[in-house]
Amino acid sequence: MLEVLDSRKLDIHLYNPYQSESVNILNNDYPLAANFSAGYGLWLSENQLDGVGYLNLITRQPEERLPKLFMLEPYDPNKRVLIMLHGLASSPATWVNLTNDILNDDKLRDNYQVWQIFYPTNLPILENRYQIQRLIDSTYQQTDPTGQNLASKNSVIISHSMGAVIARMMLSDENLVDDLDNLDDQNILSNSEKRKVRDALKASFGEAQLQERFKLQTLPQVDTAVFLSAPFRGTDYADRWFTRALRRVVYLPVGLVKTVTENLATIATKGDLADNPLGALYLQNGASQLSDKSSFIQLTKDLAINDRITYHSIIANNDADITKGLAEMQPGGARIDLSQAIEEDARGEAISTSENADSDNTKLTDESLVAAVTIDENISQALTERLSDGIVPYTSAHLDGAASETVINGGHSIQENPQTILTLRRILHQQLNQ
Protein backbone atom coordinates (compact mmCIF):
# COMPACT_ATOMS: atom_id res chain seq x y z
CA MET A 1 0.00 0.00 0.00
CA LEU A 2 2.80 2.41 0.89
CA GLU A 3 4.46 1.69 -2.43
CA VAL A 4 1.28 2.66 -4.27
CA LEU A 5 0.88 5.88 -2.29
CA ASP A 6 4.50 6.86 -2.92
CA SER A 7 4.18 6.41 -6.68
CA ARG A 8 3.89 9.49 -8.89
CA LYS A 9 2.46 7.46 -11.77
CA LEU A 10 -1.28 7.23 -12.30
CA ASP A 11 -2.86 5.00 -14.95
CA ILE A 12 -6.43 5.73 -16.04
CA HIS A 13 -8.30 3.14 -18.10
CA LEU A 14 -11.61 4.00 -19.75
CA TYR A 15 -14.12 1.25 -20.50
CA ASN A 16 -17.27 1.28 -22.58
CA PRO A 17 -19.94 -0.17 -20.25
CA TYR A 18 -21.86 -1.50 -23.26
CA GLN A 19 -18.87 -3.65 -24.19
CA SER A 20 -17.06 -4.39 -20.91
CA GLU A 21 -18.70 -5.87 -17.83
CA SER A 22 -15.55 -6.63 -15.84
CA VAL A 23 -11.88 -5.72 -15.63
CA ASN A 24 -8.88 -7.94 -14.94
CA ILE A 25 -6.42 -6.64 -12.36
CA LEU A 26 -3.48 -8.83 -11.34
CA ASN A 27 -5.18 -11.89 -12.80
CA ASN A 28 -8.39 -11.26 -10.88
CA ASP A 29 -11.69 -10.27 -12.53
CA TYR A 30 -13.65 -7.44 -10.95
CA PRO A 31 -17.16 -6.43 -12.07
CA LEU A 32 -17.55 -2.88 -13.33
CA ALA A 33 -20.37 -0.70 -12.06
CA ALA A 34 -22.12 1.35 -14.75
CA ASN A 35 -24.75 4.08 -14.93
CA PHE A 36 -26.31 3.71 -18.37
CA SER A 37 -28.76 6.59 -18.06
CA ALA A 38 -26.47 9.31 -16.67
CA GLY A 39 -25.37 10.51 -20.10
CA TYR A 40 -28.97 10.51 -21.33
CA GLY A 41 -30.09 12.53 -18.33
CA LEU A 42 -27.28 15.05 -18.81
CA TRP A 43 -28.15 15.44 -22.50
CA LEU A 44 -31.83 16.13 -21.68
CA SER A 45 -30.89 18.59 -18.96
CA GLU A 46 -28.41 20.57 -21.06
CA ASN A 47 -30.70 20.88 -24.08
CA GLN A 48 -33.98 21.63 -22.27
CA LEU A 49 -35.87 19.77 -24.97
CA ASP A 50 -39.24 20.06 -23.23
CA GLY A 51 -39.22 23.82 -23.68
CA VAL A 52 -37.93 23.59 -27.23
CA GLY A 53 -40.86 21.34 -28.15
CA TYR A 54 -43.37 24.00 -27.15
CA LEU A 55 -41.40 26.81 -28.78
CA ASN A 56 -41.25 24.92 -32.06
CA LEU A 57 -45.03 24.73 -31.97
CA ILE A 58 -45.89 28.38 -31.31
CA THR A 59 -42.91 30.39 -32.63
CA ARG A 60 -43.11 31.81 -36.13
CA GLN A 61 -40.10 30.50 -38.06
CA PRO A 62 -38.79 31.92 -41.37
CA GLU A 63 -38.12 28.40 -42.67
CA GLU A 64 -39.32 24.97 -41.68
CA ARG A 65 -37.14 23.18 -39.18
CA LEU A 66 -36.28 19.67 -40.24
CA PRO A 67 -36.59 16.72 -37.83
CA LYS A 68 -33.52 15.41 -36.05
CA LEU A 69 -32.54 11.88 -35.07
CA PHE A 70 -30.62 11.25 -31.84
CA MET A 71 -28.80 7.96 -31.24
CA LEU A 72 -28.47 7.37 -27.51
CA GLU A 73 -25.34 5.29 -28.04
CA PRO A 74 -22.84 4.82 -30.88
CA TYR A 75 -24.35 2.80 -33.72
CA ASP A 76 -24.15 -0.93 -33.05
CA PRO A 77 -24.63 -3.16 -36.13
CA ASN A 78 -25.62 -6.09 -33.91
CA LYS A 79 -28.50 -4.47 -32.02
CA ARG A 80 -32.07 -3.97 -33.17
CA VAL A 81 -33.21 -0.37 -33.55
CA LEU A 82 -35.97 1.04 -31.34
CA ILE A 83 -37.38 4.26 -32.83
CA MET A 84 -39.32 6.60 -30.52
CA LEU A 85 -41.63 9.25 -31.95
CA HIS A 86 -43.17 11.86 -29.63
CA GLY A 87 -46.49 13.69 -29.91
CA LEU A 88 -47.80 17.24 -30.24
CA ALA A 89 -45.79 20.05 -28.56
CA SER A 90 -43.45 17.43 -27.14
CA SER A 91 -39.87 16.21 -27.49
CA PRO A 92 -37.67 13.16 -26.79
CA ALA A 93 -37.89 14.13 -23.11
CA THR A 94 -41.33 12.49 -23.08
CA TRP A 95 -39.62 9.09 -23.30
CA VAL A 96 -37.39 9.53 -20.22
CA ASN A 97 -39.19 6.89 -18.10
CA LEU A 98 -39.29 4.30 -20.86
CA THR A 99 -35.70 4.95 -21.91
CA ASN A 100 -34.41 4.67 -18.34
CA ASP A 101 -36.27 1.38 -17.95
CA ILE A 102 -34.80 -0.04 -21.15
CA LEU A 103 -31.29 1.06 -20.20
CA ASN A 104 -31.65 -0.71 -16.86
CA ASP A 105 -33.04 -3.96 -18.28
CA ASP A 106 -30.02 -6.11 -19.17
CA LYS A 107 -31.75 -8.06 -21.94
CA LEU A 108 -33.34 -5.02 -23.58
CA ARG A 109 -30.16 -2.95 -23.27
CA ASP A 110 -28.09 -5.71 -24.85
CA ASN A 111 -30.46 -6.17 -27.77
CA TYR A 112 -31.88 -2.73 -28.59
CA GLN A 113 -30.36 0.64 -29.43
CA VAL A 114 -32.61 3.67 -29.08
CA TRP A 115 -33.11 6.28 -31.81
CA GLN A 116 -35.25 9.24 -30.76
CA ILE A 117 -36.83 11.56 -33.31
CA PHE A 118 -37.34 15.27 -32.58
CA TYR A 119 -39.59 17.10 -35.01
CA PRO A 120 -41.49 20.43 -35.13
CA THR A 121 -45.15 19.60 -34.53
CA ASN A 122 -46.46 22.80 -36.13
CA LEU A 123 -45.80 21.47 -39.66
CA PRO A 124 -48.60 19.86 -41.69
CA ILE A 125 -48.61 16.17 -40.79
CA LEU A 126 -48.08 15.03 -44.38
CA GLU A 127 -44.91 17.11 -44.54
CA ASN A 128 -43.67 15.84 -41.19
CA ARG A 129 -44.22 12.23 -42.26
CA TYR A 130 -42.22 12.85 -45.44
CA GLN A 131 -39.33 14.57 -43.66
CA ILE A 132 -39.16 12.07 -40.78
CA GLN A 133 -39.24 9.04 -43.06
CA ARG A 134 -36.57 10.55 -45.29
CA LEU A 135 -34.40 11.10 -42.19
CA ILE A 136 -34.87 7.51 -41.00
CA ASP A 137 -34.19 6.11 -44.48
CA SER A 138 -30.99 8.11 -44.84
CA THR A 139 -29.79 7.03 -41.37
CA TYR A 140 -30.23 3.35 -42.19
CA GLN A 141 -28.51 3.93 -45.54
CA GLN A 142 -25.54 5.72 -43.99
CA THR A 143 -25.02 3.18 -41.21
CA ASP A 144 -25.65 0.05 -43.30
CA PRO A 145 -25.64 0.67 -47.08
CA THR A 146 -26.17 -3.02 -47.92
CA GLY A 147 -28.87 -3.58 -45.30
CA GLN A 148 -27.22 -6.77 -44.02
CA ASN A 149 -26.70 -5.82 -40.36
CA LEU A 150 -28.99 -7.03 -37.61
CA ALA A 151 -29.68 -3.35 -36.91
CA SER A 152 -31.41 -3.08 -40.30
CA LYS A 153 -33.92 -5.82 -39.46
CA ASN A 154 -36.72 -6.30 -36.94
CA SER A 155 -36.79 -2.64 -35.93
CA VAL A 156 -39.54 -1.36 -33.63
CA ILE A 157 -41.40 1.97 -33.63
CA ILE A 158 -42.96 3.22 -30.40
CA SER A 159 -45.04 6.35 -30.92
CA HIS A 160 -47.42 8.58 -28.98
CA SER A 161 -50.39 10.71 -30.11
CA MET A 162 -49.49 12.71 -33.25
CA GLY A 163 -46.32 10.62 -33.51
CA ALA A 164 -48.47 7.49 -33.75
CA VAL A 165 -50.46 9.01 -36.62
CA ILE A 166 -47.18 9.68 -38.43
CA ALA A 167 -45.82 6.21 -37.59
CA ARG A 168 -48.86 4.47 -39.09
CA MET A 169 -48.31 6.39 -42.33
CA MET A 170 -44.71 5.13 -42.42
CA LEU A 171 -46.03 1.56 -42.18
CA SER A 172 -48.54 1.81 -45.02
CA ASP A 173 -48.24 1.46 -48.80
CA GLU A 174 -51.31 3.45 -49.81
CA ASN A 175 -51.29 6.20 -52.42
CA LEU A 176 -53.18 9.13 -50.88
CA VAL A 177 -53.53 10.83 -54.26
CA ASP A 178 -56.11 8.17 -55.13
CA ASP A 179 -58.24 9.30 -52.18
CA LEU A 180 -58.12 13.07 -52.70
CA ASP A 181 -61.52 13.13 -54.42
CA ASN A 182 -63.10 11.74 -51.25
CA LEU A 183 -62.39 15.01 -49.42
CA ASP A 184 -65.03 17.02 -51.21
CA ASP A 185 -68.08 15.54 -49.48
CA GLN A 186 -69.80 18.92 -49.19
CA ASN A 187 -69.01 19.99 -52.75
CA ILE A 188 -67.01 22.93 -51.47
CA LEU A 189 -64.93 22.88 -54.64
CA SER A 190 -65.95 22.29 -58.20
CA ASN A 191 -64.06 19.69 -60.22
CA SER A 192 -62.18 22.40 -62.09
CA GLU A 193 -61.20 24.10 -58.81
CA LYS A 194 -60.01 20.81 -57.34
CA ARG A 195 -57.91 20.21 -60.43
CA LYS A 196 -56.42 23.71 -60.14
CA VAL A 197 -55.55 23.21 -56.45
CA ARG A 198 -53.96 19.85 -57.22
CA ASP A 199 -51.97 21.40 -60.08
CA ALA A 200 -50.88 24.25 -57.81
CA LEU A 201 -49.68 21.82 -55.16
CA LYS A 202 -47.69 20.02 -57.83
CA ALA A 203 -46.15 23.31 -58.90
CA SER A 204 -45.25 24.09 -55.28
CA PHE A 205 -43.18 20.97 -54.72
CA GLY A 206 -42.55 19.54 -58.16
CA GLU A 207 -44.54 16.52 -59.30
CA ALA A 208 -41.99 13.95 -58.12
CA GLN A 209 -41.71 15.55 -54.67
CA LEU A 210 -45.49 15.72 -54.35
CA GLN A 211 -45.74 12.03 -55.17
CA GLU A 212 -43.22 11.24 -52.42
CA ARG A 213 -45.38 13.15 -49.95
CA PHE A 214 -48.64 11.42 -50.87
CA LYS A 215 -47.50 7.95 -51.94
CA LEU A 216 -46.73 6.07 -48.76
CA GLN A 217 -44.16 3.30 -48.49
CA THR A 218 -43.54 1.01 -45.52
CA LEU A 219 -40.18 1.28 -43.81
CA PRO A 220 -38.56 -2.03 -44.81
CA GLN A 221 -36.49 -2.30 -41.61
CA VAL A 222 -39.48 -2.19 -39.25
CA ASP A 223 -41.61 -5.21 -38.36
CA THR A 224 -43.21 -4.14 -35.05
CA ALA A 225 -45.04 -1.01 -33.94
CA VAL A 226 -46.69 0.15 -30.73
CA PHE A 227 -49.19 3.03 -30.84
CA LEU A 228 -49.96 4.99 -27.66
CA SER A 229 -53.07 7.20 -27.32
CA ALA A 230 -53.26 7.56 -31.10
CA PRO A 231 -55.94 9.87 -32.59
CA PHE A 232 -56.19 7.93 -35.86
CA ARG A 233 -59.72 9.22 -36.40
CA GLY A 234 -59.05 12.62 -34.89
CA THR A 235 -60.49 14.22 -31.78
CA ASP A 236 -63.18 16.83 -31.11
CA TYR A 237 -60.85 18.17 -28.40
CA ALA A 238 -59.06 20.08 -31.16
CA ASP A 239 -62.29 22.01 -31.88
CA ARG A 240 -63.20 23.16 -28.39
CA TRP A 241 -63.15 26.91 -27.81
CA PHE A 242 -59.91 26.97 -25.77
CA THR A 243 -58.02 24.65 -28.12
CA ARG A 244 -59.24 26.62 -31.15
CA ALA A 245 -57.85 29.74 -29.47
CA LEU A 246 -54.50 28.03 -28.89
CA ARG A 247 -54.41 26.82 -32.50
CA ARG A 248 -54.40 30.43 -33.62
CA VAL A 249 -50.93 30.96 -32.14
CA VAL A 250 -49.50 27.89 -33.88
CA TYR A 251 -47.69 29.16 -36.97
CA LEU A 252 -46.60 27.45 -40.11
CA PRO A 253 -43.05 28.26 -41.28
CA VAL A 254 -43.15 31.39 -43.41
CA GLY A 255 -41.19 29.78 -46.24
CA LEU A 256 -43.57 26.84 -46.53
CA VAL A 257 -46.66 29.03 -46.49
CA LYS A 258 -45.22 31.36 -49.13
CA THR A 259 -44.28 28.49 -51.43
CA VAL A 260 -47.76 26.98 -51.34
CA THR A 261 -49.90 30.13 -51.26
CA GLU A 262 -48.13 31.79 -54.18
CA ASN A 263 -49.42 28.96 -56.34
CA LEU A 264 -52.86 28.76 -54.74
CA ALA A 265 -53.68 32.45 -54.32
CA THR A 266 -54.68 32.92 -57.96
CA ILE A 267 -57.32 30.20 -57.76
CA ALA A 268 -60.89 31.36 -57.22
CA THR A 269 -62.20 29.32 -54.29
CA LYS A 270 -64.83 29.86 -51.64
CA GLY A 271 -63.48 30.87 -48.25
CA ASP A 272 -59.91 30.85 -46.99
CA LEU A 273 -57.46 28.57 -48.71
CA ALA A 274 -56.77 26.71 -45.48
CA ASP A 275 -60.48 25.87 -45.18
CA ASN A 276 -60.61 24.19 -48.57
CA PRO A 277 -60.29 20.40 -48.33
CA LEU A 278 -57.23 20.12 -50.57
CA GLY A 279 -55.48 23.33 -49.61
CA ALA A 280 -55.92 22.48 -45.91
CA LEU A 281 -53.62 19.48 -46.29
CA TYR A 282 -50.70 21.91 -46.53
CA LEU A 283 -52.12 25.16 -45.11
CA GLN A 284 -53.29 23.90 -41.73
CA ASN A 285 -50.84 23.40 -38.88
CA GLY A 286 -50.34 19.99 -37.30
CA ALA A 287 -52.50 20.76 -34.25
CA SER A 288 -55.48 21.76 -36.40
CA GLN A 289 -55.14 18.64 -38.52
CA LEU A 290 -55.81 16.41 -35.49
CA SER A 291 -59.42 17.61 -35.48
CA ASP A 292 -61.87 14.86 -36.39
CA LYS A 293 -63.30 17.26 -38.98
CA SER A 294 -60.01 18.04 -40.75
CA SER A 295 -59.22 17.11 -44.33
CA PHE A 296 -56.14 15.25 -43.16
CA ILE A 297 -58.15 12.92 -40.90
CA GLN A 298 -60.70 12.34 -43.66
CA LEU A 299 -57.86 11.35 -45.96
CA THR A 300 -55.98 9.04 -43.57
CA LYS A 301 -58.45 7.64 -41.02
CA ASP A 302 -58.83 4.30 -42.82
CA LEU A 303 -55.20 3.74 -43.80
CA ALA A 304 -54.22 0.08 -44.01
CA ILE A 305 -51.01 -1.08 -42.34
CA ASN A 306 -48.69 -3.40 -44.27
CA ASP A 307 -49.57 -7.06 -43.59
CA ARG A 308 -46.07 -7.99 -42.41
CA ILE A 309 -46.17 -5.44 -39.55
CA THR A 310 -47.13 -6.66 -36.08
CA TYR A 311 -48.72 -3.76 -34.26
CA HIS A 312 -50.01 -3.19 -30.73
CA SER A 313 -52.32 -0.52 -29.32
CA ILE A 314 -52.06 0.97 -25.84
CA ILE A 315 -55.07 3.14 -25.12
CA ALA A 316 -55.74 5.28 -22.05
CA ASN A 317 -59.01 5.56 -20.14
CA ASN A 318 -59.41 8.20 -17.45
CA ASP A 319 -62.36 6.56 -15.64
CA ALA A 320 -61.07 3.93 -13.19
CA ASP A 321 -64.53 2.42 -12.64
CA ILE A 322 -64.97 1.73 -16.36
CA THR A 323 -61.50 0.16 -16.51
CA LYS A 324 -62.40 -2.11 -13.60
CA GLY A 325 -65.69 -3.10 -15.21
CA LEU A 326 -63.91 -3.80 -18.46
CA ALA A 327 -61.50 -6.15 -16.66
CA GLU A 328 -64.38 -8.16 -15.21
CA MET A 329 -65.87 -8.58 -18.70
CA GLN A 330 -62.75 -10.16 -20.20
CA PRO A 331 -62.66 -13.98 -20.47
CA GLY A 332 -60.33 -15.53 -17.93
CA GLY A 333 -59.99 -12.22 -16.13
CA ALA A 334 -57.14 -11.20 -18.44
CA ARG A 335 -55.71 -8.11 -16.79
CA ILE A 336 -52.70 -6.69 -15.00
CA ASP A 337 -53.58 -5.54 -11.50
CA LEU A 338 -50.96 -3.40 -9.77
CA SER A 339 -52.61 -3.95 -6.39
CA GLN A 340 -51.02 -7.41 -6.54
CA ALA A 341 -47.36 -8.32 -6.91
CA ILE A 342 -45.99 -8.42 -10.45
CA GLU A 343 -43.99 -11.60 -10.89
CA GLU A 344 -41.16 -12.17 -13.31
CA ASP A 345 -41.19 -15.21 -15.54
CA ALA A 346 -38.07 -17.07 -16.69
CA ARG A 347 -37.56 -14.63 -19.57
CA GLY A 348 -37.82 -11.57 -17.35
CA GLU A 349 -41.28 -10.61 -18.65
CA ALA A 350 -43.85 -8.95 -16.43
CA ILE A 351 -46.90 -11.17 -15.99
CA SER A 352 -50.14 -10.76 -14.10
CA THR A 353 -50.51 -12.81 -10.93
CA SER A 354 -54.10 -13.46 -11.96
CA GLU A 355 -53.44 -14.27 -15.61
CA ASN A 356 -53.84 -18.03 -15.20
CA ALA A 357 -56.41 -17.96 -12.44
CA ASP A 358 -59.67 -19.89 -12.64
CA SER A 359 -62.71 -17.88 -13.60
CA ASP A 360 -64.05 -18.24 -10.03
CA ASN A 361 -61.03 -16.34 -8.76
CA THR A 362 -61.03 -13.51 -11.30
CA LYS A 363 -63.81 -11.41 -9.80
CA LEU A 364 -62.31 -8.13 -8.66
CA THR A 365 -62.74 -6.94 -5.11
CA ASP A 366 -63.66 -3.38 -4.25
CA GLU A 367 -60.06 -2.77 -3.19
CA SER A 368 -58.55 -3.95 -6.47
CA LEU A 369 -56.71 -1.29 -8.42
CA VAL A 370 -57.00 -2.27 -12.07
CA ALA A 371 -54.18 -0.45 -13.82
CA ALA A 372 -54.53 -2.06 -17.24
CA VAL A 373 -56.76 -4.44 -19.14
CA THR A 374 -55.75 -6.60 -22.08
CA ILE A 375 -58.72 -6.69 -24.45
CA ASP A 376 -59.48 -10.23 -25.58
CA GLU A 377 -62.87 -9.68 -27.19
CA ASN A 378 -64.89 -6.94 -28.84
CA ILE A 379 -66.24 -4.25 -26.54
CA SER A 380 -69.87 -3.21 -26.80
CA GLN A 381 -70.58 0.06 -28.59
CA ALA A 382 -72.19 1.50 -25.45
CA LEU A 383 -68.92 0.99 -23.58
CA THR A 384 -66.57 2.16 -26.33
CA GLU A 385 -68.40 5.48 -26.48
CA ARG A 386 -67.54 6.06 -22.80
CA LEU A 387 -63.87 5.09 -23.05
CA SER A 388 -61.57 8.09 -23.43
CA ASP A 389 -58.33 9.51 -22.07
CA GLY A 390 -59.93 12.94 -21.89
CA ILE A 391 -58.53 13.96 -25.28
CA VAL A 392 -58.59 10.93 -27.58
CA PRO A 393 -61.62 8.61 -27.46
CA TYR A 394 -61.25 4.84 -27.70
CA THR A 395 -63.11 4.85 -31.02
CA SER A 396 -60.34 7.00 -32.51
CA ALA A 397 -57.42 5.04 -31.05
CA HIS A 398 -58.73 1.51 -31.71
CA LEU A 399 -57.28 -0.39 -34.68
CA ASP A 400 -58.70 -3.62 -36.02
CA GLY A 401 -56.10 -6.34 -36.49
CA ALA A 402 -53.83 -5.33 -33.60
CA ALA A 403 -51.80 -8.17 -32.10
CA SER A 404 -52.75 -6.83 -28.67
CA GLU A 405 -54.82 -3.99 -27.29
CA THR A 406 -54.28 -2.79 -23.73
CA VAL A 407 -56.41 -0.20 -21.96
CA ILE A 408 -54.38 1.68 -19.35
CA ASN A 409 -56.05 3.51 -16.50
CA GLY A 410 -54.87 7.12 -16.88
CA GLY A 411 -54.85 10.24 -19.00
CA HIS A 412 -53.54 11.05 -22.46
CA SER A 413 -49.85 11.14 -21.48
CA ILE A 414 -49.71 7.41 -20.83
CA GLN A 415 -46.15 7.14 -22.12
CA GLU A 416 -45.15 8.21 -18.59
CA ASN A 417 -47.40 5.66 -16.85
CA PRO A 418 -45.57 2.81 -15.01
CA GLN A 419 -48.10 0.30 -16.33
CA THR A 420 -47.39 1.45 -19.88
CA ILE A 421 -43.69 0.83 -19.26
CA LEU A 422 -44.44 -2.72 -18.06
CA THR A 423 -46.63 -3.37 -21.10
CA LEU A 424 -43.96 -2.06 -23.48
CA ARG A 425 -41.30 -4.18 -21.78
CA ARG A 426 -43.45 -7.26 -22.25
CA ILE A 427 -43.97 -6.49 -25.95
CA LEU A 428 -40.24 -5.94 -26.50
CA HIS A 429 -39.29 -9.16 -24.70
CA GLN A 430 -41.86 -11.03 -26.80
CA GLN A 431 -40.41 -9.60 -29.98
CA LEU A 432 -36.93 -10.78 -29.00
CA ASN A 433 -38.25 -14.29 -28.37
CA GLN A 434 -40.04 -14.62 -31.71
Side-chain angles (χ1 to χ4, degrees):
M1 178 65 70
L2 292 176
E3 183 179 341
V4 172
L5 294 175
D6 287 339
S7 174
R8 294 179 177 272
K9 182 180 179 181
L10 174 65
D11 292 331
I12 298 177
H13 299 268
L14 302 178
Y15 293 89
N16 184 339
Y18 288 98
Q19 298 177 358
S20 302
E21 296 182 353
S22 63
V23 60
N24 186 281
I25 301 176
L26 300 176
N27 297 320
N28 291 313
D29 289 328
Y30 297 92
L32 290 174
N35 187 331
F36 293 94
S37 60
Y40 175 59
L42 180 62
W43 171 65
L44 290 176
S45 175
E46 288 182 341
N47 289 279
Q48 297 294 311
L49 292 181
D50 260 340
V52 176
Y54 282 105
L55 289 175
N56 276 348
L57 180 68
I58 64 175
T59 305
R60 187 184 293 274
Q61 303 290 342
E63 300 293 338
E64 62 180 290
R65 291 188 174 181
L66 298 179
K68 296 176 174 59
L69 186 151
F70 299 101
M71 295 182 182
L72 300 194
E73 62 180 274
Y75 174 77
D76 189 330
N78 297 313
K79 285 187 181 182
R80 301 183 186 192
V81 172
L82 178 56
I83 301 170
M84 297 181 182
L85 201 57
H86 64 76
L88 179 68
S90 190
S91 74
T94 197
W95 300 115
V96 61
N97 291 347
L98 173 60
T99 304
N100 278 330
D101 198 81
I102 290 173
L103 294 176
N104 286 286
D105 182 310
D106 291 344
K107 187 170 183 179
L108 296 183
R109 185 180 66 246
D110 291 343
N111 287 278
Y112 290 104
Q113 56 190 317
V114 177
W115 294 1
Q116 294 185 346
I117 307 293
F118 187 25
Y119 65 99
T121 57
N122 62 330
L123 285 184
I125 298 176
L126 282 173
E127 183 67 16
N128 256 331
R129 192 285 311 172
Y130 169 72
Q131 297 293 352
I132 291 171
Q133 188 158 354
R134 190 170 71 162
L135 173 63
I136 294 173
D137 281 335
S138 65
T139 304
Y140 277 116
Q141 179 63 28
Q142 289 176 27
T143 53
D144 183 18
T146 62
Q148 298 302 309
N149 294 340
L150 179 61
S152 296
K153 304 168 186 175
N154 305 116
S155 295
V156 181
I157 291 184
I158 296 177
S159 52
H160 174 248
S161 194
M162 177 189 283
V165 174
I166 295 172
R168 182 175 66 151
M169 296 174 71
M170 296 193 294
L171 302 175
S172 175
D173 295 303
E174 292 199 15
N175 188 348
L176 298 178
V177 173
D178 297 336
D179 301 324
L180 288 177
D181 289 338
N182 297 334
L183 297 180
D184 192 21
D185 293 337
Q186 299 178 344
N187 295 318
I188 297 175
L189 299 177
S190 67
N191 288 334
S192 62
E193 286 175 327
K194 285 196 296 184
R195 188 166 53 253
K196 288 179 180 178
V197 173
R198 189 180 291 108
D199 291 343
L201 284 171
K202 289 181 180 180
S204 296
F205 300 104
E207 188 165 349
Q209 286 183 311
L210 185 74
Q211 185 177 17
E212 290 176 353
R213 284 164 168 81
F214 283 83
K215 190 177 187 307
L216 307 180
Q217 187 172 5
T218 302
L219 285 167
Q221 299 86 358
V222 175
D223 71 0
T224 302
V226 188
F227 305 117
L228 282 65
S229 295
F232 293 125
R233 293 181 169 271
T235 170
D236 65 359
Y237 196 86
D239 290 313
R240 298 179 189 180
W241 69 267
F242 49 90
T243 50
R244 288 180 68 90
L246 287 173
R247 280 163 46 183
R248 294 180 181 275
V249 299
V250 178
Y251 299 107
L252 289 173
V254 176
L256 177 66
V257 173
K258 182 179 180 181
T259 299
V260 178
T261 55
E262 282 181 348
N263 287 289
L264 295 180
T266 58
I267 302 172
T269 56
K270 300 175 183 178
D272 294 332
L273 290 172
D275 292 329
N276 290 327
L278 288 170
L281 293 174
Y282 261 89
L283 290 174
Q284 277 188 340
N285 57 60
S288 299
Q289 290 185 332
L290 293 179
S291 164
D292 55 7
K293 299 179 179 64
S294 73
S295 293
F296 171 79
I297 292 298
Q298 289 184 54
L299 185 66
T300 62
K301 62 184 179 181
D302 295 318
L303 274 183
I305 296 176
N306 187 293
D307 290 339
R308 69 172 180 78
I309 304 297
T310 300
Y311 55 96
H312 306 261
S313 292
I314 300 179
I315 302 171
N317 175 52
N318 61 3
D319 189 322
D321 290 335
I322 293 180
T323 306
K324 181 178 176 180
L326 187 61
E328 292 180 327
M329 292 170 55
Q330 297 307 302
R335 66 186 184 276
I336 298 177
D337 184 350
L338 285 190
S339 66
Q340 304 178 37
I342 298 296
E343 298 177 348
E344 296 289 324
D345 69 4
R347 299 184 302 275
E349 298 176 27
I351 59 173
S352 168
T353 57
S354 60
E355 194 169 30
N356 298 316
D358 295 333
S359 58
D360 292 339
N361 298 324
T362 58
K363 182 175 179 56
L364 303 180
T365 65
D366 291 339
E367 293 78 19
S368 295
L369 170 62
V370 179
V373 182
T374 301
I375 306 301
D376 289 337
E377 61 179 17
N378 293 332
I379 309 174
S380 67
Q381 182 176 353
L383 186 55
T384 59
E385 291 176 352
R386 297 177 60 190
L387 287 171
S388 173
D389 63 18
I391 295 178
V392 177
Y394 172 88
T395 51
S396 181
H398 170 76
L399 282 180
D400 290 336
S404 71
E405 181 176 276
T406 303
V407 175
I408 302 285
N409 193 51
H412 183 65
S413 297
I414 55 168
Q415 75 280 3
E416 302 170 354
N417 189 305
Q419 184 55 54
T420 302
I421 307 301
L422 286 175
T423 305
L424 288 168
R425 277 182 56 193
R426 187 173 69 253
I427 291 171
L428 292 174
H429 277 285
Q430 287 173 348
Q431 199 231 17
L432 289 175
N433 293 324
Q434 290 174 351

